């Protein structure tokens, strides 16, 4: 008797793109039409743009981590682990589970949405001494770390130690870096009132970027406005400057300045997940080269999107223009690629992705913000209303919306308690400890592993 199996759809990554794709597939496919599997180390979708507010204590970690198992109607199988290699020839994805077990997952269609990792450079001491702002664990850890610096400075009688503990350096003048510096500066500004032995004038925040402008995507006017807001609040902004080397108690800038600090936060951009390098396929600046339908040319049933794919930007129409790695594109790409997967299953034509950017919002904490929704430049409270309104609307569940709105309200009324949780208090927790970038295979290793497994099965 012949056994008829349903097509297997494998989605890699539970970010904006992956989750939107899975939810759309569940809505459009009948239960007996295909089996859908999702690979992710965490059973939640992280709302990444609000991480700086988690680090500053405005929001709780749970409020930006939307559970994938909350609804009983979802039928997707979830594999708790990370994809570390893909063999396009054998249609096998190699997965390292959260217990470090290596398993092979076969597929008929694969949607690659593994996202991105923090971009680093060959700077002495960077990966050993810098913190990132890319994961929920990093945001929670940085909050603990910053408050602990105040605690230790307050207890110390050594002026040199106090100086290094009360200076903070953030590298990266994009949205992540600017919002991180702004939100954490508000945290220390509010917390220092509870430390009578600390002179508030000793607390210094530095925001640096090698680019000549702060958040150039906002335009010159809003970029200068954001820069002025930060400087008015005491954050020293240095452009055209980066890190020459980093140590445990000081950082050297490329302009020769040496800043005593125990806190270096690195947010200088992202690169596609190392998973893309395991395919041996063509890339564009590290992102997988796909067509406008988000299909990988020459490989049937392979789709890629989000931060890991160079999706042509049809709305701009320029030669070589690709969609920026933003949440609004990732969410819409997720839904669109699901439609294309369904169309492929049903032998119907796929369609190209096109979306005109809706604008940008930057929350600088409190009543400070700059936003450019639909090309309209906003400052102050109107910009803050637009920024928080957009983030609130983009949250996927009503429970998450209620949690975030409640957190915002409580923080505005009652302020912060500046509590340290002690998360990994005595363990190293730098860039290299959170994103597991050394876990991935090379294309040759993937092929050898899959062939070895196939021989054993025979």
């Amino acid at each position: 008797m012949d056994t008829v199996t349903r097509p297997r759809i494998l989605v890699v990554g539970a970010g904006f793109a992956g989750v939107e794709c899975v939810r759309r597939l569940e809505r459009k496919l009948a239960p007996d039409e295909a089996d859908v599997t999702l690979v992710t180390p965490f059973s939640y979708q992280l709302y990444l743009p609000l991480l700086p507010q988690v680090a500053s204590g405005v929001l709780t970690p749970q409020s930006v981590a939307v559970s994938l198992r909350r609804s009983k109607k979802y039928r997707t199988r979830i594999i708790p682990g990370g994809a570390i290699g893909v063999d396009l020839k054998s249609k096998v994805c190699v997965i390292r589970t959260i217990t470090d077990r290596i398993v092979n997952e076969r597929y008929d269609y694969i949607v690659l949405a593994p996202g991105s990792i923090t971009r680093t450079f060959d700077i002495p001491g960077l990966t050993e001494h810098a913190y990132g702002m890319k994961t929920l664990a990093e945001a929670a850890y940085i909050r603990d770390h910053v408050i602990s610096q105040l605690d230790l400075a307050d207890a110390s009688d050594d002026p040199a130690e106090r100086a290094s503990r009360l200076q903070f350096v953030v590298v990266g003048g994009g949205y992540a870096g600017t919002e991180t510096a702004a939100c954490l500066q508000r945290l220390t500004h509010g917390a220092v009132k509870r430390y009578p032995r600390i002179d508030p004038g000793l607390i210094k925040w530095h925001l640096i970027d090698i680019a000549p402008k702060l958040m150039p995507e906002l335009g010159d006017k809003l970029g200068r406005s954001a820069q002025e807001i930060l400087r008015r609040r005491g954050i020293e902004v240095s452009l055209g400057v980066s890190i020459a080397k980093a140590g445990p108690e000081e950082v050297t800038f490329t302009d020769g300045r040496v800043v005593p600090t125990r806190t270096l936060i690195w947010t200088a951009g992202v690169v596609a997940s190392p998973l893309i390098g395991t395919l041996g396929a063509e890339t564009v600046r590290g992102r997988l080269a796909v067509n406008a339908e988000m299909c990988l040319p020459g490989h049937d049933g392979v789709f890629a999107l989000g931060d890991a794919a160079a999706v042509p930007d049809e709305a701009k129409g320029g030669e070589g223009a690709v969609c920026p790695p933003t949440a609004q594109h990732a969410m819409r790409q997720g839904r669109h690629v699901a439609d294309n997967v369904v169309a492929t299953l049903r032998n119907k034509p796929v369609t190209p992705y096109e979306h005109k950017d809706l604008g940008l919002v930057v929350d600088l904490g409190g009543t400070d913000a700059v936003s450019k929704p639909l090309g309209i430049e906003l400052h102050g409270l109107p910009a803050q209303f637009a920024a928080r309104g957009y983030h609130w609307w983009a949250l996927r569940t009503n429970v998450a919306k209620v949690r975030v709105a409640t957190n915002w309200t409580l923080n505005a009324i009652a302020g912060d308690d500046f509590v340290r949780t002690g998360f990994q208090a005595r363990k190293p927790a730098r860039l290299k400890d959170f994103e597991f970038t050394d876990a991935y295979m090379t294309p040759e290793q993937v092929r050898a592993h899959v062939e070895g497994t196939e021989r054993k099965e025979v």
Side-chain angles (χ1 to χ4, degrees):
M1 182 184 298
D2 293 332
T3 301
V4 178
T5 59
R6 290 188 290 267
R8 297 162 295 188
I9 302 172
L10 181 64
V11 180
V12 177
F16 290 105
V19 170
E20 288 296 324
C21 176
V22 166
R23 297 307 183 223
R24 184 81 152 209
L25 289 172
E26 289 180 327
R27 286 193 295 270
K28 299 198 74 171
L29 291 173
D32 60 350
E33 199 169 356
D35 291 329
V36 181
T37 301
L38 175 65
V39 180
T40 173
F42 309 108
S43 58
Y44 61 75
Q45 178 193 5
L46 177 63
Y47 193 83
L48 199 63
L50 291 178
L51 273 189
Q53 295 191 37
V54 173
S56 64
V58 173
L59 298 176
T60 62
Q62 188 182 15
S63 62
V64 301
V66 183
S67 173
L68 301 179
R69 300 185 184 276
R70 183 165 186 85
S71 175
K72 296 178 181 178
K73 66 181 180 181
Y74 296 135
R75 62 182 187 273
T76 296
R77 169 182 168 235
I78 298 177
I79 300 178
I84 60 173
V86 177
D87 187 332
L88 296 175
K89 181 180 178 181
S90 298
K91 291 197 170 187
V92 171
C93 180
V94 183
I95 299 167
R96 186 189 299 275
T97 70
I98 58 175
T99 57
D100 283 332
R101 180 168 167 254
I102 306 296
V103 298
N104 292 348
E105 185 68 20
R106 298 190 178 277
Y107 63 83
D108 298 298
Y109 302 89
I110 187 169
V111 178
L112 296 167
S116 56
I117 62 170
T118 302
R119 179 181 62 183
T120 58
F121 300 98
D122 190 18
I123 299 173
L126 177 63
T127 57
E128 292 81 11
H129 302 294
Y131 304 97
M133 183 61 77
K134 197 76 174 66
T135 68
L136 191 61
E138 283 176 313
Y141 183 89
I142 286 175
R143 172 175 167 78
D144 268 20
H145 171 80
V146 169
I147 295 175
S148 71
Q149 298 313 296
L150 299 179
D151 288 342
L152 292 165
D154 181 68
S156 176
D157 294 320
D158 181 354
E161 181 184 356
R162 280 193 166 199
S164 67
R165 293 197 182 281
L166 296 178
Q167 291 205 67
F168 307 87
V169 178
V170 179
V171 183
Y175 304 107
T178 302
E179 290 188 339
T180 296
C183 290
L184 287 174
Q185 186 272 340
R186 282 184 59 86
L187 169 68
T188 56
H189 178 75
V192 74
K193 299 171 185 177
R194 317 288 178 89
Y195 295 86
R197 297 183 71 246
I198 295 179
D199 177 3
L202 294 176
I203 298 180
K204 296 179 181 178
W205 281 87
H206 302 264
L207 175 61
I208 70 173
D209 196 300
I210 197 65
K213 297 179 182 179
L214 196 68
M215 294 183 293
E217 299 89 342
L218 280 174
D220 290 344
K221 186 178 178 181
L222 283 182
R224 287 195 301 269
S225 178
Q227 191 169 334
E228 180 56 35
I229 290 171
L230 297 179
R231 282 179 169 157
R232 190 172 64 242
R233 282 167 42 177
I235 299 175
E236 184 175 325
V237 180
S238 300
L239 300 175
V241 177
S242 188
I243 296 296
K245 63 179 180 179
E249 297 182 10
E250 67 179 27
V251 169
T252 303
F253 293 175
T254 52
D255 62 4
R257 282 180 291 166
V258 179
V259 177
T261 182
R262 311 285 181 103
T263 308
L264 171 60
I265 302 174
W266 181 267
T267 64
V270 297
V271 294
S273 166
L275 178 67
I276 298 305
T278 72
L279 276 67
E282 181 184 352
T283 59
V284 177
R285 294 183 179 179
R287 299 167 74 181
L288 194 62
V290 296
N291 57 27
E293 291 77 21
M294 293 175 282
C295 302
L296 182 62
H299 297 277
D300 293 337
V302 180
F303 301 81
L305 66 163
D307 292 8
V311 180
D313 195 339
E314 297 287 295
K316 289 185 177 178
E319 184 68 26
V322 298
C323 296
T326 61
Q328 61 175 287
H329 274 289
M331 293 169 71
R332 289 163 178 80
Q333 287 172 6
R335 293 191 286 268
H336 195 94
V337 86
D339 292 341
N340 281 348
V341 171
V342 173
T344 303
L345 270 170
R346 297 171 180 171
N347 295 316
K348 295 181 179 180
V350 296
T351 58
Y353 168 78
E354 183 174 349
H355 168 65
K356 186 176 180 181
D357 207 301
L358 299 178
L360 306 163
V361 295
V362 183
D363 188 338
L364 300 175
T367 59
D368 293 328
V370 289
S371 301
K372 198 176 181 179
L374 302 175
I376 302 170
E377 295 186 350
L378 300 175
H379 307 257
L381 279 175
Q384 183 65 284
F385 180 80
R388 294 200 171 182
Y390 172 78
H391 289 316
W392 186 85
W393 169 81
L395 289 166
R396 192 169 52 81
T397 67
N398 290 329
V399 172
K401 291 179 179 180
V402 170
R403 283 184 177 138
V404 166
T406 302
N407 284 176
W408 279 337
T409 303
L410 283 175
N411 186 265
I413 295 173
D416 201 330
D417 288 327
F418 312 110
V419 173
R420 278 191 296 122
T421 63
F423 177 73
Q424 287 194 351
R426 296 183 181 275
K427 296 180 180 179
R430 303 298 198 270
L431 275 170
K432 62 186 180 67
D433 299 305
F434 281 108
E435 298 189 33
F436 309 107
T437 53
D438 57 349
Y440 297 87
M441 294 179 170
T442 65
E444 295 75 21
Q445 289 173 328
V446 172
R447 189 71 203 136
H449 170 80
V450 172
E451 288 178 348
T453 306
E454 289 174 345
R455 283 195 296 268
K456 290 179 180 178
E457 291 176 350
V458 173

